[in-house]
Amino acid sequence: MEATGTDEVEKIKSKFMSAWHNMKYSWVLKTKTYFSRNSPVFLLGKCYHFKTDDSGELSTDGSSFDKINKEISGNVEEFRKDFISRIWLTYREEFPQIKGSALTTDCGWGCTLRTGQMLLAQGLMLHFLGRGWVWPDALDIDNSDSESWTAHTVKKLTASFEASLTAEREPRILSNHHRGTLKRNCDDSERRNEVYHRKIISWFGDYPLAAFGLHQLIEYGKKSGKIAGDWYGPAVVAHILRDELNSFVFVLRKAVEEARDPELQGVTVYVAQDCTVYSSDVIDRQCSRMDSGKAATKAVIILVPVRLGGERTNMDYLEFVKGILSLEYCVGIIGGKPKQSYYFAGFQDDSLIYMDPHYCQSFVDVSIKDFPLESFHCPSPKKMSFKKMDPSCTIGFYCRTVQDFEKASEEITKMLKSSSKEKYPLFTFVKGHSKDYDFASSPLHEEKHLFPEDEKRRLKRFSTEEFVLL
């Protein structure tokens, strides 16, 4: 009887925590973002112009369409459609319990995992769908202000409290679009694209069998001594954030290597060592054999952990970062600002465009047929000044073939040289293998050698400080 009472208390406590997360993380999304009409906007290699004769700012939430001419309206719509089509992965609640813990939410600690998932998702979208693909239903996502997120949060708080008293699952509040998704006639190409669209999202589902889901990433992280709930959340100091990022990219690579879906056998991940991309190592990964034994060239997603300055971001790197985000084979940047991780996908002037994972949403079962897609697409972009960005970040690129990699390495090397005012570039491409430079190739060795000894001692000292739960 006593045990039953304790269970009930835990359930009520869990419901209140869920309601608190909804209040805390539901303010993020509904702030409007304004764009200059007189400067181009870049989104993962695509350029959009909103220029008009009138100076001023333009909101991209659709509310200003009646105030601007049709040409500009078309450009804004194309940008919104492209942005919304990117896969958005955020905090979730009430997903299946994470093995070895009582956690059913990643609120407060999973933001870096989510931004890493978004970067990988963009790489897979380039691989299976191409950069020109956009979601046909992108502009159907409800982004009106008819119901504020504050009101929505209060509804969920009330529903959560009532559910906790009746021991029922918290009811979901669905949009009208969820209740009745329109069926469209589409050709074979559109059907194929929609199949891959859903499949890519399902690979990031929040259940144990999803190839790149939270549960799987945490299992791989255990091999590095990490456990769910106390890692990858932003730390008090930038040094810890950098350590988390570098650890995470190896976890991400491991997840791709271990993926069992046959369609993922054609993709591999390479992680740069000490800000150096060893060309022969990349090509070896691309030319490795499939599990079936068949020889074929693999596409590669290259992850380069870098630091854009010391304690603060050096503005000298702005032009290089803008140049990187202007490339269609760039899959984004995992970064953020102190204590928060974001997924950067574009820029306008000196501001970066990003998707924010700090928004708590209900668990979606992606194993069912025709699961709702809307919560995996962000209805509105956000902007942040480059100077506010934390210097620790990871840059991602996608190369389908060896020839694509060679072309990309030449192009990026030129950008690095032209943007480097000092003697050393941000990172380099080097011919040959890492072993030719006395580096071991094992992930464990790579992770150990991410920092010099004095930096390791400093990181160890910082690791005793408390983490901040957002």
Side-chain angles (χ1 to χ4, degrees):
M1 188 71 180
E2 184 178 346
T4 303
T6 303
D7 290 343
E8 289 301 317
V9 170
E10 288 300 316
K11 286 181 181 178
I12 293 174
K13 181 180 177 181
S14 174
K15 291 294 181 181
F16 272 111
M17 286 302 296
S18 175
W20 166 243
H21 287 149
N22 280 316
M23 289 193 69
K24 191 171 185 179
Y25 300 112
S26 293
W27 300 89
V28 175
L29 190 63
K30 208 53 185 176
T31 54
K32 283 188 178 180
T33 300
Y34 291 90
F35 289 81
S36 169
R37 297 180 181 180
N38 299 315
S39 301
V41 177
F42 284 84
L43 182 70
L44 296 170
K46 295 282 188 179
C47 181
Y48 298 90
H49 293 273
F50 305 151
K51 190 172 179 60
T52 64
D53 293 333
D54 300 324
S55 61
E57 292 184 323
L58 177 68
S59 170
T60 59
D61 63 357
S63 61
S64 302
F65 284 176
D66 57 339
K67 301 176 184 178
I68 55 181
N69 62 48
K70 291 182 179 179
E71 181 182 354
I72 302 304
S73 176
N75 279 324
V76 174
E77 282 203 2
E78 289 302 310
F79 168 73
R80 287 191 64 228
K81 197 168 186 179
D82 190 7
F83 177 83
I84 292 170
S85 297
R86 303 313 106 203
I87 292 177
W88 182 42
L89 298 160
T90 72
Y91 288 155
R92 295 278 175 174
E93 62 174 356
E94 297 188 356
F95 51 63
Q97 188 170 306
I98 295 172
K99 185 179 178 181
S101 77
L103 293 170
T104 58
T105 179
D106 63 319
C107 287
W109 56 271
C111 61
T112 308
L113 284 165
R114 297 302 186 181
T115 53
Q117 285 179 319
M118 284 189 263
L119 182 145
L120 180 56
Q122 177 60 20
L124 295 175
M125 288 176 74
L126 286 182
H127 185 69
F128 292 105
L129 299 171
R131 183 61 186 90
W133 177 84
V134 290
W135 184 32
D137 293 337
L139 297 182
D140 294 338
I141 289 186
D142 182 21
N143 196 37
S144 68
D145 288 315
S146 58
E147 178 186 48
S148 69
W149 288 109
T150 307
H152 178 78
T153 301
V154 170
K155 281 186 178 182
K156 292 201 79 174
L157 175 62
T158 304
S160 177
F161 178 67
E162 290 175 348
S164 69
L165 296 179
T166 59
E168 294 178 357
R169 180 180 174 85
E170 180 183 340
R172 297 179 187 173
I173 299 174
L174 301 178
S175 67
N176 291 332
H177 190 68
H178 284 180
R179 297 188 186 104
T181 303
L182 296 175
K183 300 292 184 182
R184 69 165 32 81
N185 294 322
C186 55
D187 58 24
D188 291 341
S189 177
E190 287 178 327
R191 286 196 198 95
R192 173 199 171 277
N193 289 342
E194 189 54 32
V195 167
Y196 274 112
H197 177 206
R198 286 184 173 275
K199 182 172 284 191
I200 292 169
I201 290 176
S202 72
W203 285 330
F204 295 90
D206 293 310
Y207 70 103
L209 297 180
F212 309 121
L214 198 73
H215 297 69
Q216 282 285 10
L217 295 180
I218 288 169
E219 282 300 306
Y220 294 127
K222 285 179 180 179
K223 297 174 184 178
S224 299
K226 312 293 187 181
I227 60 173
D230 69 352
W231 69 306
Y232 298 141
V236 176
V237 292
H239 299 283
I240 299 298
L241 177 59
R242 179 175 66 178
D243 190 25
E244 290 163 351
L245 265 178
N246 285 320
S247 297
F248 175 62
V249 292
F250 289 106
V251 171
L252 203 61
R253 189 183 78 179
K254 187 67 175 175
V256 174
E257 290 175 346
E258 297 290 330
R260 297 178 181 177
D261 193 307
E263 298 209 62
L264 291 169
Q265 297 300 310
V267 184
T268 186
V269 170
Y270 173 85
V271 181
Q273 302 176 44
D274 296 321
C275 299
T276 305
V277 177
Y278 295 94
S279 297
S280 295
D281 287 344
V282 176
I283 294 171
D284 284 352
R285 296 192 74 83
Q286 287 188 276
C287 297
S288 59
R289 287 184 174 272
M290 307 282 194
D291 284 353
S292 61
K294 183 174 65 174
T297 301
K298 294 183 179 182
V300 63
I301 296 172
I302 300 170
L303 303 177
V304 187
V306 297
R307 191 165 181 86
L308 305 174
E311 294 300 315
R312 296 180 182 178
T313 297
N314 188 336
M315 292 298 291
D316 289 341
Y317 291 120
L318 172 60
E319 292 307 313
F320 173 73
V321 171
K322 289 164 71 171
I324 288 296
L325 292 170
S326 302
L327 303 172
E328 286 201 8
Y329 52 83
C330 174
V331 294
I333 299 174
I334 307 170
K337 60 184 181 180
K339 304 180 183 180
Q340 294 183 338
S341 182
Y342 299 142
Y343 170 62
F344 295 106
F347 68 91
Q348 183 183 46
D349 296 324
D350 293 349
S351 294
L352 299 177
I353 298 168
Y354 67 93
M355 287 194 283
D356 191 347
H358 302 90
Y359 178 64
C360 186
Q361 301 191 89
S362 297
F363 164 70
V364 173
D365 186 355
V366 297
S367 65
I368 64 174
K369 185 180 179 181
D370 296 330
F371 61 87
L373 296 167
E374 290 76 15
S375 68
F376 296 99
H377 293 279
C378 184
S380 180
K382 301 187 75 174
K383 288 172 71 179
M384 183 185 81
S385 171
F386 177 75
K387 64 184 179 183
K388 292 182 180 179
M389 181 182 180
D390 190 275
S392 300
C393 64
T394 293
I395 300 170
F397 308 100
Y398 168 84
C399 300
R400 185 177 295 274
T401 65
V402 172
Q403 290 73 25
D404 288 344
F405 166 69
E406 291 172 342
K407 181 181 177 181
S409 62
E410 289 179 9
E411 187 173 5
I412 295 169
T413 296
K414 289 179 182 178
M415 291 175 56
L416 286 162
K417 288 180 178 178
S418 63
S419 65
S420 178
K421 295 181 179 180
E422 299 179 0
K423 187 176 180 181
Y424 300 104
L426 198 58
F427 63 93
T428 59
F429 289 84
V430 175
K431 294 187 182 298
H433 297 86
S434 58
K435 62 185 179 182
D436 299 333
Y437 299 84
D438 294 324
F439 286 100
S441 60
S442 69
L444 181 61
H445 186 89
E446 291 168 358
E447 204 166 342
K448 284 182 178 179
H449 286 77
L450 284 169
F451 311 105
E453 289 302 322
D454 60 337
E455 188 68 15
K456 288 180 188 176
R457 287 193 292 271
R458 183 162 55 167
L459 284 170
K460 186 175 181 180
R461 175 167 55 85
F462 278 125
S463 67
T464 60
E465 298 182 7
E466 292 182 354
F467 283 74
V468 173
L469 293 182
L470 300 174

